[in-house]
Amino acid sequence: MNKPFISLCPEITRTHAFTMVDWMRDDDVTRYLSDSHHSAQSIEQAINRVQLPIVTHLFNQGGRFFMACDSSDKPVGFVRLIKNGSDCEIVLVIGNQYNWGRRLGASTLHEGMKLAFFEMRAEQLIAKIHTDNTRSVKTFERCGFELSSQTPKLHSYTIDAARYLRQLRNGAAAGSNHIVMTELDQARLRQLVEIEHNPSLFELEHEIARAMVVEPSQVQQQVVTMNSRALLRMNQQELDVALVYPEDADYSAHKLSIFSDIGTAILGYREGDCVDWRVNGQTQQIQIQKVLYQPEAAGHYHL
């Protein structure tokens, strides 16, 4: 069974912030955290002082803060990533108790790992978990973390970049379906990403790393590859688009760059697949209705 969709939103609104204050007032939510009702009160006071609709800057002090949102963009928890040299520490909370046991923690952790290793370039990700917090321990262990040290109250679990990448290649870090990519497309896309040095391309890097690589002649005709043309459905509308490299992009002609949100989202998926993806800051469901043209199927992959 696929894990539920979660996205990590870097923009924190006042509504998000007050939702988090409510979570932090719940003793069951904060039981294993160093935070308490006092921190909830401090956050509320800080929000009221600034009187701004966006309060991201209040939460990014000493680290990076993200709201964990479901497919309806409703907040279900939060993640904080604190970079210290080449290492990064993760703090993860799922807010309301009715969301516990729904596998939201694992989905949120996968998104946090993606950010830590691909955008923040951490060499190691660390989680410090209270010894009695067995639910969190199981979640982190299932996601590949290993016990590295312990005290009477805290256990430290870690995963390094090499292990994480192995899990992606082996499909162990799952959370979404396998995608297919040709070796030529993978090599060229990796080169483009390296040249760009753009942190916003971490989603594409993640897709490149987790893709199942096949020979061009082995790609099924229903798969979206580079330079394919596909009929999509999004926002109750049909879109006829071509997936192209950045230099060939022409949005007026519906030629979408692989660097675009939709372009990255559809690469490697098949006819009939539905993909939840962040597009222009909002979660959208993109359905691939039909692959209208694919260069591999047309025998053009040597060009």
Side-chain angles (χ1 to χ4, degrees):
M1 181 176 69
N2 287 338
K3 294 181 177 66
F5 175 83
I6 288 290
S7 63
L8 296 185
C9 307
E11 185 175 83
I12 313 301
T13 67
R14 288 179 68 83
T15 302
H16 289 163
F18 282 118
T19 297
M20 192 185 72
V21 168
D22 289 338
W23 293 338
M24 300 299 284
R25 286 188 173 131
D26 186 333
D27 288 335
D28 289 323
V29 172
T30 60
R31 178 179 301 169
Y32 301 120
L33 297 176
S34 58
D35 304 272
S36 66
H37 288 306
H38 296 297
S39 62
Q41 184 178 3
S42 299
I43 293 169
E44 187 173 20
Q45 289 173 348
I47 298 166
N48 288 328
R49 277 198 303 270
V50 297
Q51 293 297 320
L52 294 171
I54 305 298
V55 292
T56 306
H57 65 285
L58 297 178
F59 293 89
N60 280 345
Q61 299 173 22
R64 294 186 61 191
F65 189 92
F66 303 86
M67 294 300 292
C69 299
D70 63 14
S71 58
S72 300
D73 290 331
K74 180 181 178 180
V76 297
F78 63 83
V79 165
R80 183 183 290 279
L81 293 169
I82 306 108
K83 191 80 182 291
N84 184 11
S86 61
D87 292 343
C88 188
E89 182 180 344
I90 184 168
V91 177
L92 186 158
V93 171
I94 300 299
N96 291 331
Q97 293 185 51
Y98 71 81
N99 280 323
W100 297 356
R102 297 174 54 200
R103 308 180 77 193
L104 295 173
S107 292
T108 303
L109 180 53
H110 283 302
E111 293 303 305
M113 294 162 72
K114 185 194 302 183
L115 279 165
F117 288 117
F118 285 111
E119 184 180 7
M120 299 176 72
R121 304 296 177 187
E123 293 182 8
Q124 182 175 242
L125 187 57
I126 304 166
K128 296 177 181 177
I129 305 173
H130 194 283
T131 53
D132 295 333
N133 193 353
T134 56
R135 187 191 298 272
S136 287
V137 167
K138 289 178 181 178
T139 298
F140 277 81
E141 287 181 337
R142 282 196 297 265
C143 292
F145 283 72
E146 297 179 326
L147 181 65
S148 59
S149 64
Q150 62 186 76
T151 66
K153 288 188 177 182
L154 283 179
H155 287 182
S156 288
Y157 284 82
T158 61
I159 183 171
D160 62 28
R163 179 178 174 83
Y164 173 69
L165 289 173
R166 284 197 302 271
Q167 287 188 169
L168 282 182
R169 286 192 291 267
N170 295 335
S176 55
N177 296 327
H178 281 299
I179 63 171
V180 173
M181 194 178 298
T182 69
E183 188 174 4
L184 292 174
D185 282 348
Q186 187 191 58
R188 185 173 179 189
L189 289 172
R190 275 185 172 153
Q191 185 178 38
L192 285 175
V193 169
E194 288 174 2
I195 292 171
E196 282 291 314
H197 293 296
N198 188 339
S200 68
L201 297 178
F202 74 93
E203 292 279 11
L204 178 57
E205 284 195 78
H206 174 264
E207 297 299 274
I208 294 169
R210 78 179 184 90
M212 182 184 300
V213 180
V214 299
E215 293 293 327
S217 59
Q218 296 176 321
V219 181
Q220 296 179 355
Q221 187 173 350
Q222 298 81 13
V223 174
V224 178
T225 63
M226 292 303 303
N227 295 311
S228 290
R229 199 172 128 238
L231 183 65
L232 311 179
R233 187 167 184 82
M234 187 174 72
N235 292 333
Q236 308 302 315
Q237 293 183 332
E238 289 188 341
L239 302 172
D240 184 341
V241 302
L243 179 61
V244 300
Y245 288 99
E247 64 269 21
D248 299 319
D250 182 350
Y251 289 95
S252 64
H254 302 287
K255 295 181 178 180
L256 300 185
S257 168
I258 184 61
F259 287 176
S260 69
D261 293 336
I262 298 175
T264 300
I266 65 175
L267 177 65
Y269 281 99
R270 301 164 178 79
E271 284 182 12
D273 284 342
C274 287
V275 185
D276 287 319
W277 204 266
R278 297 284 290 181
V279 178
N280 297 326
Q282 291 186 320
T283 302
Q284 305 282 356
Q285 186 175 82
I286 306 168
Q287 182 181 28
I288 302 170
Q289 293 190 309
K290 189 171 184 60
V291 176
L292 302 171
Y293 169 79
Q294 183 207 82
E296 287 75 19
H300 296 159
Y301 48 83
H302 294 299
L303 299 180

